[in-house]
Amino acid sequence: MRSFSGQLLRAQRARVGLSAAQLAARVGKTKWSVWRWEQGRVQPPIPVVDAVADALGVPLDALLADDGRAVHEAVTV
């Protein structure tokens, strides 16, 4: 099963050169929301993850990791 990964979000955000505040502004959220997602403190709902993927210019799958699989194996920056 695949689920949202804050680590992948952080990696993709860094890859496109956006700050947490810039990404937050693009999806209508606060930079603190983005920080909580990246830290794994909060799981955003799928419609928000989809909006984040669009804002980053990546497919939704780029923010999902296989459960039980090391995230660093899935990140290709």
Side-chain angles (χ1 to χ4, degrees), residues 49-69:
V49 177
D50 193 40
V52 168
D54 286 345
L56 294 172
V58 299
L60 180 63
D61 279 353
L63 302 177
L64 305 178
D66 293 331
D67 290 346
R69 181 176 167 206

Side-chain angles (χ1 to χ4, degrees), residues 1-76:
M1 181 172 191
R2 296 177 57 97
S3 60
F4 172 78
S5 168
Q7 290 177 320
L8 290 175
L9 169 57
R10 186 180 313 117
Q12 291 295 339
R13 182 174 60 76
R15 185 185 63 76
V16 299
L18 289 177
S19 70
Q22 290 169 321
L23 176 59
R26 288 186 179 192
V27 296
K29 301 295 180 182
T30 67
K31 68 179 178 181
W32 301 113
S33 292
V34 173
W35 182 82
R36 286 190 289 269
W37 301 335
E38 290 182 352
Q39 297 298 313
R41 295 176 186 258
V42 175
Q43 288 282 320
I46 289 297
V48 173
V49 177
D50 193 40
V52 168
D54 286 345
L56 294 172
V58 299
L60 180 63
D61 279 353
L63 302 177
L64 305 178
D66 293 331
D67 290 346
R69 181 176 167 206
V71 171
H72 69 274
E73 294 174 7
V75 177
T76 54

